[in-house]
Amino acid sequence: MTEAARITARIALLTFLVSSMLAAGLSLRPRAILAPLRDVRLVLAAIALNFVVAPVFAVLLTLVIPLERPHAIGLLLLGGAAGAPFLPKLAESAGGDVGFAVALMILLTVGTTFFMPLVLPLLIPGLQAGPWSIARPLVVFILTPLAIGMLLQSLVPVFCAAYQPALAKLGNISALVLIALLVVLHF
């Protein structure tokens, strides 16, 4: 039962990532993503919060709260991993600017690819993380479906209008399945 639930959770996670990124791409044009990145102040604030404040806060928490090594490592990994793929889905659900959320996610995902291999070995002795081992899942499951969706949006917008809602719904359903399975697996 537990192994089946873990496999199903992995499938739900991959389905969520690919379907929600593809749906976001099907609804966006490149200018909707590039426009928010022109705001230098916003970009610098996002970089500072995600690659300075969050990691420092994670380090401070590990110093203040006595955690077992695996938990401390997990907290440091979370503190250094910016660019959550659920950000566009949250923006969509809240009626926010999905283009801005996708732009921020891309910026932070690319930043994470460079940040984690450089900084985390300093924080976690013995940790070795190559840029490609970090970038590969980000490129395959986040950036590629997003790029394919945006390419389709520019080539066949009628197709996109027809299939984007179904992919968005699939992303929502798989996210709910994933959350339910994670609760079951950890309690």
Side-chain angles (χ1 to χ4, degrees), residues 9-94:
R10 286 186 196 130
I11 292 169
L13 174 62
L14 295 177
T15 302
F16 166 72
L17 289 173
V18 173
S19 63
S20 61
M21 291 298 106
L22 189 55
L26 290 176
S27 67
L28 295 172
R29 296 202 178 262
R31 69 177 164 264
I33 293 173
L34 295 174
L37 296 176
R38 290 189 183 112
D39 185 345
V40 175
R41 192 170 155 208
L42 179 68
V43 168
L44 291 176
I47 290 170
L49 286 170
N50 285 279
F51 297 116
V52 177
V53 174
V56 167
F57 186 67
V59 168
L60 290 175
L61 279 176
T62 63
L63 296 174
V64 172
I65 300 171
L67 297 172
E68 293 182 30
R69 181 169 166 75
H71 296 118
I73 289 172
L75 185 59
L76 293 171
L77 288 172
L78 286 173
F86 58 83
L87 187 59
K89 185 58 75 180
L90 289 175
E92 176 190 331
S93 298

Side-chain angles (χ1 to χ4, degrees), residues 26 158-168:
L26 290 176
V158 174
F159 168 85
C160 297
Y163 289 99
Q164 190 276 341
L167 283 168

